[in-house]
Each structure stands twice: as C-alpha cells, then as structure tokens.
Amino acid sequence: MASSIGAMLESARQTLVMLRYRRTWWWALPGLAGLFALAYAAGLRAPERVAGADMFCVFAWWSLSSVVVPWVAVFLGVQAVHGELEDRTAQYLFLRPVSRAALLFGKWLAVAMVSSAISVGAAAVIYAGVGAHAARWPDGGEPELLYAFGETVIFGAIAYTSVAMLFGAAFRRPLVWSAFFVVGLQLVAANLPVSAGLRRLTITDPMRRMVLDRIEPSPRLARMLWPAEREFSYDDIGAPVQNLVWFTLVGLLVAVVCYARAEYDSRSRD
C-alpha cells in the first residue's frame, strides 16, 4: 500500500512537471485575461435593469459549464494519459515494477488539481469583470456567489478529469470522443427537455443543480440557467454532489481497468 501511494504521488509530481514543461500556464493566463475582458464588456453593454448578481451567474454558468471546465479538464487529461501512449514513452514506465493503477491515479490527481485551479480562476476573473461595475451591485458585492461557483467547478473539473482518463486510456482518437461527449452528450442531454434519468447521466446537470441549490435564484434567473425547465422547484435538486462523486468513481474505475489491461503497441525499433 505504501509503495502504491508513493508511486501515485510520484506520478502526480511528474505529471505536474510535464504540464509545466508544456507551458500550460502560458495559455491559461491569456485565457483568463480574455474572460475578464468579456465579462467587463458584458457589463458595459447589458441593459441597466440587469443586476450584477444575475449577470455574473448567467455569464459564469454558461461559460464555465460549457467551455472552461470541460475543455480544460479533458484536454489536459488526454494529454497526460494519451500523450505518453502516442509517443511510446509509456512503454518505459510499464517495464518498471509499478502498478499501472497507481500511475493513472497520480495523473488524475495532478490534472484534477490543475484544471480545478484554472476553473476557479476563471470564476474569479468573471466575478471581478462584472464586479467592476459597482452601479450594478447596489447592495455591494456578493462573494457567496463566487464561492458557490468555485465549489461547483471544482467538483465538475474532478468529474471531467476522470472522463479524460477513460478516453485517453481507451481510444486511439480521444479528443474526437471527448468533443462528442462534451458537445453531443453534455450540452444536448443536459439542456434539452429530456428525462431526469438521462440528465443525471451527465456532469452538466448535477453541476447546475448544485449551483441552483447554493445561490437560491429568483424564478427569472432559474429559467435563464435552466431553460429546459419552465418552473424551478427545489424538489428537483436531489443529490448533485453524490451524482458527481459516483460519476467520478465509475469513470476512474473503468479507466483503470482499460489502462491496466490494454496492450499498447510499441514502435518496431523498440
């Protein structure tokens, strides 16, 4: 057990080094600056009757749940797992007496940490961009909204990272499958009037229910965040955190099985 934990931590450390080597922060920082500019510009152009809290919630929800959280977590996770398989450097790791499960858990831990940090940073810069318009906040800022979104995007980033581990370990074209999952399944199933059971198989729907539970929205704001539901009821919230935890555990379990049992080809000269 001690050796497996050590291997997992070392795998996480090496993954963090790899992400730094690929200059993850170099493109993350300009992206965060762009989000701040968009949020600030939205505050300039929106009608005067729109409150800052509503503007932040709408802008943060649709930009974070549809773009930042899924794409950052999936891209970094696929690079961490499939990048080593694609360039065959994983063969040298597999020759060592280290559990593949420990290696994958370490990669998941590192990517979840980085993607969560970027997602929370994105929520913060959106809050700063909208909050720069003091006239839209007559009662002052509402930092509890930032806390609610920050907590939600952390759970979402962790769940999406487990999906990235699965796609990176199981498919030859993981980014293609990731695009289908994020765009085809998440956006369609979570935002159309489909059955509640199907929505609960997504990550977006539990994230939305988690946000609604924490911000206590007005009926108008709830419709803007959940257009498929005509009337929002707290009975519809259920247990979103439990849904996300189960989604993460199942995704990681399947990813570990694929990563541990698959035979990955090596180059002929190897």
Side-chain angles (χ1 to χ4, degrees):
M1 179 65 70
S3 62
S4 297
I5 294 176
M8 181 186 70
L9 295 178
E10 177 60 23
S11 175
R13 187 191 70 82
Q14 292 186 10
T15 302
L16 291 173
V17 172
M18 181 269 292
L19 293 176
R20 185 181 65 180
Y21 174 76
R22 294 183 177 178
R23 301 180 177 180
T24 300
W25 296 111
W26 283 42
W27 57 261
L29 292 177
L32 294 178
L35 271 178
F36 174 84
L38 289 175
Y40 184 82
L44 291 175
R45 298 180 62 85
E48 294 182 359
R49 65 178 183 276
V50 179
D54 291 352
M55 183 182 301
F56 166 72
C57 290
V58 172
F59 194 97
W61 168 250
W62 290 106
S63 61
L64 294 178
S65 68
S66 303
V67 181
V68 177
V69 176
W71 288 111
V72 169
V74 165
F75 178 78
L76 295 181
V78 167
Q79 289 296 314
V81 176
H82 192 73
E84 293 181 349
L85 301 175
E86 191 173 30
D87 61 18
R88 307 302 195 268
T89 56
Q91 299 294 329
Y92 300 99
L93 292 175
F94 295 161
L95 292 175
R96 282 152 175 76
V98 179
S99 169
R100 289 192 187 183
L103 294 176
L104 190 70
F105 278 123
K107 295 178 185 298
W108 169 78
L109 178 62
V111 174
M113 291 171 55
V114 174
S115 59
S116 296
I118 295 176
S119 300
V120 171
V125 298
I126 293 173
Y127 182 82
V130 178
H133 303 282
R136 296 187 181 275
W137 304 80
D139 299 327
E142 299 183 27
E144 61 274 12
L145 297 178
L146 177 58
Y147 176 80
F149 275 90
E151 183 183 10
T152 302
V153 298
I154 289 175
F155 277 96
I158 292 173
Y160 275 112
T161 302
S162 68
V163 174
M165 298 293 108
L166 173 59
F167 288 165
F171 298 111
R172 290 184 178 272
R173 299 290 184 269
L175 286 178
V176 175
W177 285 97
S178 300
F180 170 76
F181 177 79
V182 172
V183 178
L185 180 59
Q186 297 296 304
L187 293 182
V188 173
N191 295 307
L192 290 182
V194 296
S195 65
L198 180 59
R199 289 201 307 264
R200 279 171 169 75
L201 296 178
T202 67
I203 300 174
T204 303
D205 183 70
M207 287 178 62
R208 173 167 43 211
R209 289 185 282 115
M210 188 175 175
V211 165
L212 292 173
D213 185 35
R214 281 153 176 75
I215 66 174
E216 299 181 356
S218 64
R220 178 174 175 271
L221 178 58
R223 286 193 300 271
M224 296 172 69
L225 299 180
W226 202 348
E229 291 291 323
R230 294 184 177 180
E231 294 184 3
F232 168 68
S233 172
Y234 283 97
D235 295 334
D236 299 330
I237 291 177
V241 174
Q242 182 179 347
N243 296 148
L244 290 172
V245 170
W246 276 112
F247 198 105
T248 301
L249 293 177
V250 172
L252 272 178
L253 177 62
V254 178
V256 166
V257 171
C258 294
Y259 194 69
R261 298 174 63 90
E263 294 293 335
Y264 299 107
D265 296 334
S266 61
R267 294 190 181 95
S268 57
R269 66 172 181 269
D270 294 336

